[in-house]
Amino acid sequence: LEVPWRWRCSPRRGGAVCPSAGQIRAAFLRFFEERHGHRRLPSAPVRPRGDPRLLFVNAGMNQFKPIFLGTVHPRSELAQHRRVVNSQKCVRAGGKHNDLEDVGRDTYHHTFFEMLGNWSFGDYFKEEACSMAWELLTEVYEIPRDRLYVTYFGGDPSLGLSADEESRDVWLRLGVPASHVLPFPLKDNFWEMGDTGPCGPCTEIHYDHVGGGRNAAALVNQGSPDVVEIWNLVFMQYSREVEGNLLPLPQHHVDTGMGLERLVTVLQNKRSNYDTDLFTPILDAIHKGCRAPRYQGLVGNADVGRVNMAYRVVADHVRTLCVCITDGIYPGFSGAELVLRRILRRAVRFCSEVLQAPPGLLASLVPTVVEVLGDAYPELTRNANQIKDIINENEAAFLSSLERGRRIIERTVQQMEPSTNFPAEVAWSLYGSLGFPLDLIDLMLEEKGISLDSAAFNELVLEDAKRKAGGAQAGEPGSTNTHLDVHSLAWLQGSKVPATDDSPKYAYTLGQHGHYEFSPCQATVLMLYRDQCLQKEVGAGQRCGVILDKTNFYAQQGGQDSDQGYMIRLGQQDVLFPVESVHLCGGYVIHEVTAVETLRAGDQVQLFVDEARRLACMTNHTATHLLNFALRRVLGDSTEQRGSHVTAERLRFDFDTKGHVTVEQLQQVEQVVQDLIQKNEVVHMAEVPLTLARRVQGLRAVDEGYPDPVRIVSLGVPVENVLTCDSKAAMQTSVELCCGTHLLQTGSVEDLAIISERQLVKGISRVVAVTGGQAKEAREVGQCLAMEVDSVSLRMKQRITSIPEMQNLSKEVGQLTKVVASTAMPQWQRKELQTILKALQRTANTAVKKLELQQAEKVAQILLAKYCNQPVIVDTIPADSLSILMKVVNQLCDKSPGTSVLLLSPQASGEVLCACQVSKSCLPGFSAADWAVAVCTRMEGKAGGSPIVAKGSGNAKGMQGALTTALEFAQSKL
């Protein structure tokens, strides 16, 4: 293989030029592609595909899991691969592999890294894999052989696994000295994908940074920074079964991984990843943009003020941000998005508080990251501007919160008694109100040598979870009393306790006068559940979960909030047990209840659902189906649901979209819904076999598990008609799989107004809507605001010559803009009004500037006539604002280029405004900034500016002295 450079980076040849990281990466890919016939694949995005257990792609093998697991479709492109090479973008932050908190503290942890890898899928095995690796390292990269050590699996008699002598013998045949071929146990040299599935021995290659002919075998796998692993070759030859035994795989696979950052450190003869050219350009850019001393590579106590740690944090995190945002992961509030939000906020804090950098530093580093990584990952180059915008937007929001949080912590610490923990309620306020990640609170307290009262904080977390039980996501437990633990669930099932019959939740009818009538339900208490323990009895005042044989309460699922209400014991009509939330677990419906009296298994109870809340949920759930249908009708059949949440107050719906939904499309969607409401279509519901349901053409269903049989909800068309083989009904109306409770006729929705629409992340939008009276109220509010905007618009068209009057009109537009943005009203109307208000604001600002300019020209003419081209003008004039005063100064200097001007303007408040401009012919000896500072200091005020123009203010008491100072200062410079 012909390499495009001369390798001159080993200590033996010291002083010569080292290869760049780009050359090292390219050599790896070309070696396997050109010399050994591997197919070169691009990196997969760091957002995992089809693996909900992963937050981020954290290893090169993630995209090939279906091959290893045998689940790959035989006709897919993936199944055709035999030998593959690539450089994979990886992120380890959050989840099982989480390096976030270690980043910055040392010189080798990263949240983003690149994994070089080659794979064989049933093609070559140990002999070829080891031979290729040794050839690349020693012949292409020219790493001295005496610095390399290899490890192999030494066997495990307890599992019946013999040593991997095959790998050992391969290395010995390749010429590796026996003293450099070392056996290690299971934990070091046996790789497993999970508790079950493909696994096998691995062989690792380690590098000795010190060298010099020493034998460093004793330091391998001992955590020494001098001897580090650089490449891991995994040989998948077994499958671990559920019982724990190992069976040979029918096909053997090879999965290798070598971290690029660590390899570059070796080949560039460095001891720290941050000293390589993957990071040095970013560190240099950080230095240029902040007020901190240059990066020195210090760690621990030697790193005074943690400046070097901050450099490493920012350099690492900005790389992660660039890669994640490019791959569609944006800072957010759950999952990978939440982790990225924490990464961004951690970087922003180190920028502002440790490096003393101005806002915007983080985004300013994006071009440097693109320069370093863009050739390997061209998607970074294409998305550079978007990355900067998202970083800046999130930074601005956090800096505001950060400053408030810092003040709160400072004030709290000052008020604390010595040797006490930081109060949990204050930390909770920071966490809940300002969005502070808990790890950031801990970090800020750690700097002050203070600990958080974690026990009390955790209690607050649990209490909040209980309060929000009714608003949690579908399927999530509200508290420990509503989510059966695995042992309790197994006991119930083993004891043949029947699952709860919750069919009565659908037992309601529409009365003659349009009122819904809900059938009562009588039930028996089967078991009580408290503190993860099944109990036969619960005392008064205790909160518990109540398991009944039947219920008419709706348990939280399918995106719909649970019912609330109460139960009474038969014969005790005056003792109400409030039901706060309801959850489904393993077929058992658990009602969260606070026992006002002793409650026992076997008690007979009567159940009463909060009918108003239930009806509101039914209305909003049916409206959600109407909205789903309308969005597909308007935006196209490719519009797919991504999630929904139905509460008694409103509904939320997430869906695929190629861009922002326009005003016209929002109106069209609302109109389609209105038409369906006006038709007062019958809502048909029936349970059918799942296999039959999935055959329905045009069926709308979220990608989730459904029970069998499954419930179909169809608007206007009976379910039996939808199920016929040639039926196109589901293409023309709303037909969905749904376990929720619904209205019986669409007319009961009355009205629907979309009050919010925004993009969650690229490609996914969220709408929030209200129904019935709330929708009517939103429309009325919208009309009132539209009339106010019309009124302002008419006044704006009138000829206004007064600056204060026009300024007041401008303020009115600004206030109206805030009201329109924050008020519940139809979103299409909000967008229309915002467009009008934006134009009005521009018109008002332009008008104010024009009037100020006209006024300034008049005053300037008077002063020009008064001073007749004198070299210096110092005077006082009336001016409503500093803006007008500066315009007068500008006008004078434009009309008399050789004149330097300083004007003062006393205000009714006792303040004196100051503005000045120096003639360019007087530079550099005469500075406007120095002139303004001298004058304003005389008035006990402040000033600032440039050598040409400056402004400031002071106190009226010193104005006469300031005029004298102004003239004397100017004369001394001319």
Side-chain angles (χ1 to χ4, degrees), residues 220-236:
V220 172
N221 276 339
Q222 299 305 310
S224 168
D226 294 334
V227 181
V228 295
E229 174 209 335
I230 57 172
W231 205 346
N232 187 12
L233 286 64
V234 177
F235 304 123
M236 295 190 194

mmCIF file of all heavy atoms in Angstrom, residues 220-236:
data_model
loop_
_atom_site.group_PDB
_atom_site.id
_atom_site.type_symbol
_atom_site.label_atom_id
_atom_site.label_comp_id
_atom_site.label_asym_id
_atom_site.label_seq_id
_atom_site.Cartn_x
_atom_site.Cartn_y
_atom_site.Cartn_z
ATOM 1 N N VAL A 220 0.469 -4.189 31.505
ATOM 2 C CA VAL A 220 -0.670 -4.371 30.598
ATOM 3 C C VAL A 220 -1.934 -4.661 31.411
ATOM 4 O O VAL A 220 -1.917 -5.462 32.345
ATOM 5 C CB VAL A 220 -0.395 -5.531 29.612
ATOM 6 C CG1 VAL A 220 -1.643 -5.848 28.793
ATOM 7 C CG2 VAL A 220 0.770 -5.176 28.704
ATOM 8 N N ASN A 221 -3.038 -3.954 31.060
ATOM 9 C CA ASN A 221 -4.342 -4.106 31.738
ATOM 10 C C ASN A 221 -4.295 -3.739 33.220
ATOM 11 O O ASN A 221 -5.100 -4.232 34.007
ATOM 12 C CB ASN A 221 -4.874 -5.536 31.591
ATOM 13 C CG ASN A 221 -5.603 -5.734 30.263
ATOM 14 O OD1 ASN A 221 -6.038 -4.781 29.638
ATOM 15 N ND2 ASN A 221 -5.714 -6.989 29.832
ATOM 16 N N GLN A 222 -3.346 -2.899 33.603
ATOM 17 C CA GLN A 222 -3.227 -2.491 35.008
ATOM 18 C C GLN A 222 -3.618 -1.033 35.228
ATOM 19 O O GLN A 222 -3.360 -0.467 36.284
ATOM 20 C CB GLN A 222 -1.788 -2.734 35.508
ATOM 21 C CG GLN A 222 -1.351 -4.183 35.461
ATOM 22 C CD GLN A 222 -2.288 -5.103 36.211
ATOM 23 O OE1 GLN A 222 -2.641 -4.846 37.368
ATOM 24 N NE2 GLN A 222 -2.719 -6.179 35.549
ATOM 25 N N GLY A 223 -4.195 -0.405 34.204
ATOM 26 C CA GLY A 223 -4.619 0.988 34.331
ATOM 27 C C GLY A 223 -3.488 1.981 34.255
ATOM 28 O O GLY A 223 -3.658 3.153 34.619
ATOM 29 N N SER A 224 -2.324 1.562 33.785
ATOM 30 C CA SER A 224 -1.187 2.471 33.681
ATOM 31 C C SER A 224 -1.359 3.395 32.486
ATOM 32 O O SER A 224 -1.664 2.934 31.383
ATOM 33 C CB SER A 224 0.115 1.665 33.523
ATOM 34 O OG SER A 224 1.178 2.526 33.147
ATOM 35 N N PRO A 225 -1.138 4.705 32.640
ATOM 36 C CA PRO A 225 -1.225 5.617 31.499
ATOM 37 C C PRO A 225 -0.084 5.412 30.508
ATOM 38 O O PRO A 225 -0.152 5.903 29.380
ATOM 39 C CB PRO A 225 -1.151 7.006 32.155
ATOM 40 C CG PRO A 225 -0.443 6.774 33.452
ATOM 41 C CD PRO A 225 -0.834 5.412 33.903
ATOM 42 N N ASP A 226 0.952 4.684 30.940
ATOM 43 C CA ASP A 226 2.093 4.451 30.049
ATOM 44 C C ASP A 226 1.838 3.317 29.060
ATOM 45 O O ASP A 226 2.420 3.287 27.977
ATOM 46 C CB ASP A 226 3.347 4.118 30.870
ATOM 47 C CG ASP A 226 3.804 5.298 31.714
ATOM 48 O OD1 ASP A 226 3.499 6.440 31.330
ATOM 49 O OD2 ASP A 226 4.437 5.070 32.762
ATOM 50 N N VAL A 227 0.991 2.363 29.440
ATOM 51 C CA VAL A 227 0.711 1.207 28.577
ATOM 52 C C VAL A 227 -0.789 1.156 28.335
ATOM 53 O O VAL A 227 -1.562 0.881 29.263
ATOM 54 C CB VAL A 227 1.215 -0.105 29.211
ATOM 55 C CG1 VAL A 227 0.933 -1.288 28.283
ATOM 56 C CG2 VAL A 227 2.704 -0.018 29.506
ATOM 57 N N VAL A 228 -1.202 1.430 27.099
ATOM 58 C CA VAL A 228 -2.630 1.585 26.809
ATOM 59 C C VAL A 228 -3.066 0.650 25.687
ATOM 60 O O VAL A 228 -2.300 0.343 24.765
ATOM 61 C CB VAL A 228 -2.950 3.044 26.402
ATOM 62 C CG1 VAL A 228 -2.696 3.991 27.556
ATOM 63 C CG2 VAL A 228 -2.152 3.468 25.180
ATOM 64 N N GLU A 229 -4.314 0.207 25.784
ATOM 65 C CA GLU A 229 -4.902 -0.593 24.707
ATOM 66 C C GLU A 229 -5.199 0.308 23.515
ATOM 67 O O GLU A 229 -5.740 1.407 23.687
ATOM 68 C CB GLU A 229 -6.203 -1.240 25.192
ATOM 69 C CG GLU A 229 -6.972 -1.979 24.098
ATOM 70 C CD GLU A 229 -8.472 -2.010 24.336
ATOM 71 O OE1 GLU A 229 -8.896 -1.907 25.502
ATOM 72 O OE2 GLU A 229 -9.214 -2.106 23.343
ATOM 73 N N ILE A 230 -4.848 -0.139 22.309
ATOM 74 C CA ILE A 230 -5.173 0.660 21.133
ATOM 75 C C ILE A 230 -6.126 -0.051 20.169
ATOM 76 O O ILE A 230 -6.784 0.590 19.363
ATOM 77 C CB ILE A 230 -3.898 1.104 20.371
ATOM 78 C CG1 ILE A 230 -3.052 -0.096 19.947
ATOM 79 C CG2 ILE A 230 -3.100 2.107 21.193
ATOM 80 C CD1 ILE A 230 -1.881 0.301 19.029
ATOM 81 N N TRP A 231 -6.206 -1.397 20.225
ATOM 82 C CA TRP A 231 -7.063 -2.100 19.268
ATOM 83 C C TRP A 231 -7.604 -3.357 19.917
ATOM 84 O O TRP A 231 -6.865 -4.080 20.589
ATOM 85 C CB TRP A 231 -6.240 -2.471 18.025
ATOM 86 C CG TRP A 231 -7.046 -2.647 16.757
ATOM 87 C CD1 TRP A 231 -8.393 -2.769 16.642
ATOM 88 C CD2 TRP A 231 -6.526 -2.696 15.418
ATOM 89 N NE1 TRP A 231 -8.750 -2.907 15.320
ATOM 90 C CE2 TRP A 231 -7.627 -2.860 14.542
ATOM 91 C CE3 TRP A 231 -5.234 -2.640 14.890
ATOM 92 C CZ2 TRP A 231 -7.474 -2.963 13.159
ATOM 93 C CZ3 TRP A 231 -5.080 -2.740 13.510
ATOM 94 C CH2 TRP A 231 -6.184 -2.886 12.647
ATOM 95 N N ASN A 232 -8.905 -3.596 19.730
ATOM 96 C CA ASN A 232 -9.549 -4.789 20.257
ATOM 97 C C ASN A 232 -10.138 -5.598 19.103
ATOM 98 O O ASN A 232 -10.924 -5.067 18.314
ATOM 99 C CB ASN A 232 -10.650 -4.406 21.249
ATOM 100 C CG ASN A 232 -11.239 -5.617 21.953
ATOM 101 O OD1 ASN A 232 -10.698 -6.714 21.889
ATOM 102 N ND2 ASN A 232 -12.373 -5.421 22.621
ATOM 103 N N LEU A 233 -9.748 -6.856 18.990
ATOM 104 C CA LEU A 233 -10.245 -7.744 17.952
ATOM 105 C C LEU A 233 -11.127 -8.796 18.618
ATOM 106 O O LEU A 233 -10.645 -9.603 19.425
ATOM 107 C CB LEU A 233 -9.096 -8.439 17.211
ATOM 108 C CG LEU A 233 -8.267 -7.607 16.220
ATOM 109 C CD1 LEU A 233 -7.512 -6.474 16.903
ATOM 110 C CD2 LEU A 233 -7.279 -8.506 15.479
ATOM 111 N N VAL A 234 -12.423 -8.763 18.322
ATOM 112 C CA VAL A 234 -13.381 -9.673 18.938
ATOM 113 C C VAL A 234 -13.724 -10.790 17.957
ATOM 114 O O VAL A 234 -14.044 -10.526 16.794
ATOM 115 C CB VAL A 234 -14.667 -8.928 19.348
ATOM 116 C CG1 VAL A 234 -15.685 -9.910 19.936
ATOM 117 C CG2 VAL A 234 -14.359 -7.824 20.351
ATOM 118 N N PHE A 235 -13.679 -12.010 18.447
ATOM 119 C CA PHE A 235 -13.995 -13.180 17.616
ATOM 120 C C PHE A 235 -15.304 -13.793 18.116
ATOM 121 O O PHE A 235 -15.327 -14.502 19.129
ATOM 122 C CB PHE A 235 -12.859 -14.204 17.683
ATOM 123 C CG PHE A 235 -11.518 -13.626 17.297
ATOM 124 C CD1 PHE A 235 -10.435 -13.670 18.167
ATOM 125 C CD2 PHE A 235 -11.345 -12.995 16.072
ATOM 126 C CE1 PHE A 235 -9.210 -13.124 17.816
ATOM 127 C CE2 PHE A 235 -10.120 -12.444 15.711
ATOM 128 C CZ PHE A 235 -9.049 -12.508 16.589
ATOM 129 N N MET A 236 -16.381 -13.533 17.406
ATOM 130 C CA MET A 236 -17.696 -14.036 17.821
ATOM 131 C C MET A 236 -17.846 -15.468 17.318
ATOM 132 O O MET A 236 -18.068 -15.694 16.129
ATOM 133 C CB MET A 236 -18.804 -13.146 17.256
ATOM 134 C CG MET A 236 -18.783 -11.741 17.800
ATOM 135 S SD MET A 236 -20.253 -10.854 17.328
ATOM 136 C CE MET A 236 -19.764 -9.172 17.708
#
